[in-house]
Amino acid sequence: MNILVFVKQTFDTEETVVVQGGRVSEDNVRFVLNPYDEYAVEQAVQVKEEFGGEVTVVAVGQERMEQALRTALAMGADKAALVEDDGSLDEYGVAKVLAAFARRGTYDLLFAGQATVDGASAQTGPRVAEELGVPVVAAILRFTLEGDRAVVERDMEGYSERLSVPLPALFTAQQGLNEPRYPTLPNVMKAKKKPLERLTLEDLGLARERLLGRTATVECFVAPKTRQRRMLQGSPEAQAQALADELRRFVLPD
Amino acid sequence: MARNVLIFAEAKSGQIRNVALEALAVGRRLAADGQVVAVVAGSSRPDGVEALSEHGADRILCVEDAALEPYTSDAYTDGLYQVVQAVQPDAVIMGHTAIGRELAPRLAHRLEAGLVADCTDLAVDGERVVFTRPIYAGKAYERREVTGGIVCATIRPNNFAPLPADATRTVAPEPFPVQLSAPRVKVESVTSKQLSGVDLTEAKVVVSGGRGVKSAEGFEPLRELADVLGGAVGASRGACDAGYCDYALQIGQTGKVVTPEVYIACGISGAIQHLAGMSNSKCIVAVNTDPEAPIFQVADYGIVGDLFEVVPRLTEAFKRMRG
Ligand SMILES: Cc1cc2nc3c(=O)[nH]c(=O)nc-3n(C[C@H](O)[C@H](O)[C@H](O)COP(=O)(O)OP(=O)(O)OC[C@H]3O[C@@H](n4cnc5c(N)ncnc54)[C@H](O)[C@@H]3O)c2cc1C
Ligand SMILES: Nc1ncnc2c1ncn2[C@@H]1O[C@H](COP(=O)(O)O)[C@@H](O)[C@H]1O
């Protein structure tokens, strides 16, 4: 099995988000491998361990993405590639770049995260699949290989389904798919020696101006919700009654 | 500026979903004097199609084909793409749902278009269309503009109010034939989860349980409260990990994102990852034995107390109120 995993670096969830001049500040921020991409990498490594093959991880973006790629290598991926860009392409552009990278090899399986926890658009996986013309199943919770097909399960908001998919195909990973391994120190050391290729858009035969012009961020802002923080007093009975009275306008409209 | 807008009116269990009516409201704002075309798809016509005309659709296209049941992104992308080719809309809107998250990016990509996903607000100023969407797990917002091509967007359920129903609007649904190739993805089985009848992401009231619920049976009083309020039951990851409930109920950064009118957190500490899924709720209530629990910092109403004592009394109080 030749497997390709798309990974991105995101803010650690514990980080406070600071907006300066309409942009989210990256100063002094701790970055991590996007949590959903951990599931994607883990699944790829498990498939490799069971069926053999090679796992490649690729990221498009700034230099700092190397850290996410190294984490993936420490989890068991074999080689990495960073397509360098300033991080300002939208999902359309990123998908074009990732697909161009995928076309350089032949992959039986492609994995992405269901979404990134920063931009959270959940677009990239399905877009890359569409660009490559391969089937896609988003937000999978179970993955097995049966011959030349993958059998996957997912939750569809009220029902779950089991799908059989011919390879090559792309899957996006939802939380619960597996238990991502923690990179051990020896594996972190080993990961430093694994190959990491640096590429430019030109190396992939892409002209940047052709990847632009779909959407653009006008500004970012924080809007803290003000909450009443009213503590209801008295016996459980009194508290319950007081709350019910407060919620009347939501529960009994008019 | 007049635009023609296509709405994908998603159906579930043979019924048009509420988010489709919300998408129509967004469509009307984008359209100005243009046309809003709703498209429904399935092996047969779902219930609630009349609601689409009452809530703002100028045309309703029904794509009926055996290959559209159950849903696969292959068949739906093909079908919708053919509708787009025929209608030539300036904008395409659908819900940010399990289906929308897979379908919208595929369709947008086939159209070589941008997509602004998971929108909670919209500003239209002549040519300019700027959507607002939560980023960084709801800690910030982004205003994103569509700068070229068809305007594609998915909307987060429960954030746009449907237009008031106008019973005098009656639009006759038109059949819209499509040519679908056999889907590559084969649906082997579909298992319905015996969740309550109300969809979690669309529910107006969500009653959520955390590790404080202590067992699967512990969810029973929460379910009774949700039933009385016509709401749905949710959970923290703590409760899911402990095996008290199905992961399908999980709310948070790695679970579902909900925006109900009222969110009642019972026995949930309020970890940042949980807040990511519910902090935009209109009104937040917390019931927790620990007065120091962080959830109280983000609550409109707090009750320090044992959920097993408070929740059943709350159910009774609402029953009395309902008469
Ligand atoms: C990458 C990542 C992603 C995550 N994603 C999510 C996510 O999507 N959703 C999510 O929820 N979590 C998520 N988590 C986990 C999150 O950090 C917390 O561990 C989790 O939310 C805790 O669940 P809890 O509040 O139910 O449990 P606890 O933190 O154990 O809190 C239980 C609460 O119940 C109270 N309690 C106990 N008994 C009673 C009683 N009888 N009556 C009333 N109150 C009582 C206690 O005082 C306590 O506050 C994620 C974590 C990571 C690292
Ligand atoms: N810049 C990027 N480089 C590599 N993979 C990416 C990038 N952006 C998104 N992805 C992949 O696409 C998934 C979904 O991202 P998004 O569409 O931004 O929510 C992520 O979890 C990654 O697997």
Side-chain angles (χ1 to χ4, degrees):
Chain A
M1 285 284 143
N2 223 358
I3 310 171
L4 181 61
V5 189
F6 306 114
V7 300
K8 196 184 149 176
Q9 199 187 28
T10 54
F11 272 41
D12 188 334
T13 24
E14 305 288 344
E15 290 288 347
T16 354
V17 172
V18 177
V19 174
Q20 273 170 347
R23 292 285 176 267
V24 173
S25 164
E26 296 193 351
D27 294 348
N28 306 314
V29 165
R30 210 177 88 88
F31 285 96
V32 295
L33 173 60
N34 178 36
Y36 292 101
D37 300 355
E38 290 184 14
Y39 301 107
V41 171
E42 175 64 33
Q43 197 58 54
V45 173
Q46 284 185 16
V47 170
K48 176 187 81 167
E49 286 170 347
E50 193 174 345
F51 300 94
E54 189 178 63
V55 176
T56 305
V57 289
V58 58
V60 182
Q62 306 90 317
E63 185 58 36
R64 61 169 168 79
M65 297 265 177
E66 173 173 351
Q67 203 191 330
L69 291 166
R70 293 284 174 204
T71 305
L73 291 170
M75 289 175 71
D78 301 288
K79 53 186 199 180
L82 174 62
V83 186
E84 290 170 284
D85 195 58
D86 66 4
S88 65
L89 290 174
D90 78 351
E91 297 86 349
Y92 169 84
V94 169
K96 288 269 178 190
V97 178
L98 292 174
F101 181 86
R103 282 201 199 93
R104 297 207 318 166
T106 39
Y107 299 99
D108 310 292
L109 272 174
L110 303 100
F111 288 107
Q114 182 261 123
T116 46
V117 298
D118 49 6
S121 76
Q123 295 188 31
T124 309
R127 277 187 183 270
V128 174
E130 182 64 30
E131 179 77 26
L132 294 172
V134 300
V136 59
V137 182
I140 60 167
L141 286 166
R142 247 180 83 82
F143 178 93
T144 49
L145 269 183
E146 291 181 11
D148 58 356
R149 298 179 79 91
V151 176
V152 299
E153 292 175 15
R154 65 166 163 184
D155 173 55
M156 291 295 282
E157 298 171 352
Y159 67 95
S160 57
E161 59 180 19
R162 196 178 145 87
L163 306 157
S164 160
V165 189
L167 303 187
L170 190 152
F171 302 93
T172 74
Q174 173 63 295
Q175 184 234 316
L177 176 61
N178 50 44
E179 202 51 60
R181 69 196 66 189
Y182 196 76
T184 60
L185 193 58
N187 285 341
V188 171
M189 300 312 289
K190 259 192 247 165
K192 291 194 174 145
K193 301 203 188 72
K194 289 186 182 175
L196 191 148
E197 186 186 7
R198 277 164 211 280
L199 298 159
T200 62
L201 296 181
E202 294 73 53
D203 292 336
L204 294 174
L206 296 167
R208 196 168 198 280
E209 60 277 10
R210 301 209 40 205
L211 306 174
L212 302 174
R214 267 71 187 178
T215 65
T217 302
V218 180
E219 62 165 348
C220 299
F221 62 100
V222 279
K225 269 232 165 21
T226 45
R227 295 288 174 187
Q228 298 193 43
R229 291 166 60 178
R230 253 189 67 193
M231 303 305 284
L232 303 173
Q233 310 296 335
S235 66
E237 181 66 42
Q239 288 172 312
Q241 189 57 52
L243 181 60
D245 290 339
E246 290 293 337
L247 297 185
R248 174 185 285 269
R249 66 197 149 104
F250 294 109
V251 176
L252 293 179
D254 308 324
Chain B
M1 178 195 155
R3 289 183 191 81
N4 292 324
V5 185
L6 188 73
I7 301 301
F8 170 58
E10 185 182 331
K12 175 132 133 222
S13 314
Q15 174 75 40
I16 297 288
R17 294 184 67 164
N18 205 47
V19 70
L21 307 183
E22 297 167 6
L24 273 177
V26 171
R28 275 260 70 101
R29 274 167 69 185
L30 281 169
D33 300 330
Q35 272 210 328
V36 178
V37 182
V39 52
V40 298
S43 59
S44 60
R45 193 169 298 180
D47 293 336
V49 170
E50 322 70 50
L52 296 172
S53 59
E54 291 176 9
H55 286 91
D58 300 310
R59 283 179 73 191
I60 301 171
L61 307 181
C62 293
V63 183
E64 285 176 47
D65 193 300
L68 294 168
E69 188 65 46
Y71 159 85
T72 59
S73 75
D74 280 350
Y76 275 68
T77 308
D78 283 353
L80 272 185
Y81 184 71
Q82 288 169 35
V83 174
V84 170
Q85 297 295 85
V87 174
Q88 296 283 323
D90 303 296
V92 179
I93 312 292
M94 63 180 90
H96 196 68
T97 60
I99 287 178
R101 281 192 288 275
E102 187 175 67
L103 181 57
R106 277 195 71 179
L107 182 66
H109 205 79
R110 200 172 286 187
L111 296 169
E112 295 278 320
L115 167 67
V116 189
D118 201 17
C119 301
T120 55
D121 205 356
L122 159 71
V124 184
D125 177 12
E127 296 273 321
R128 269 190 107 182
V129 177
V130 182
F131 291 97
T132 300
R133 52 190 303 274
I135 53 173
Y136 295 90
K139 286 188 232 175
Y141 295 84
E142 171 190 38
R143 270 195 261 275
R144 179 122 47 121
E145 180 173 17
V146 179
T147 48
I150 299 182
V151 176
C152 296
T154 59
I155 58 165
R156 181 178 289 194
N158 265 348
N159 282 269
F160 296 91
L163 297 171
D166 176 355
T168 63
R169 291 184 55 121
T170 47
V171 175
E174 308 161 45
F176 188 96
V178 292
Q179 302 296 322
L180 302 176
S181 39
R184 297 164 295 182
V185 171
K186 213 171 93 212
V187 180
E188 293 207 321
S189 64
V190 169
T191 320
S192 95
K193 297 220 168 110
Q194 288 306 324
L195 308 175
S196 71
V198 187
D199 186 294
L200 189 52
T201 54
E202 291 190 358
K204 299 291 173 211
V205 177
V206 174
V207 183
S208 268
R211 218 186 295 272
V213 166
K214 296 195 178 71
S215 67
E217 300 73 55
F219 264 97
E220 219 24 65
L222 274 56
R223 212 170 299 278
E224 285 167 18
L225 176 57
D227 284 347
V228 158
L229 296 173
V233 172
S236 71
R237 175 152 163 198
C240 300
D241 283 346
Y244 304 160
C245 63
D246 195 285
Y247 277 104
L249 298 190
Q250 183 182 317
I251 289 167
Q253 185 199 307
T254 40
K256 297 202 161 65
V257 176
V258 297
T259 322
E261 296 282 327
V262 183
Y263 187 88
I264 307 180
C266 308
I268 294 177
S269 59
I272 185 83
Q273 295 89 353
H274 187 76
L275 302 186
M278 44 63 80
S279 62
N280 281 340
S281 305
K282 270 146 222 128
C283 174
I284 296 176
V285 176
V287 181
N288 198 305
T289 43
D290 175 7
E292 302 298 320
I295 189 80
F296 287 125
Q297 301 300 313
V298 298
D300 292 293
Y301 301 104
I303 292 183
V304 177
D306 183 341
L307 70 94
F308 295 105
E309 290 183 16
V310 175
V311 173
R313 287 182 169 84
L314 207 43
T315 308
E316 289 310 314
F318 282 119
K319 275 192 189 153
R320 284 196 297 273
M321 190 181 283
R322 283 265 156 95

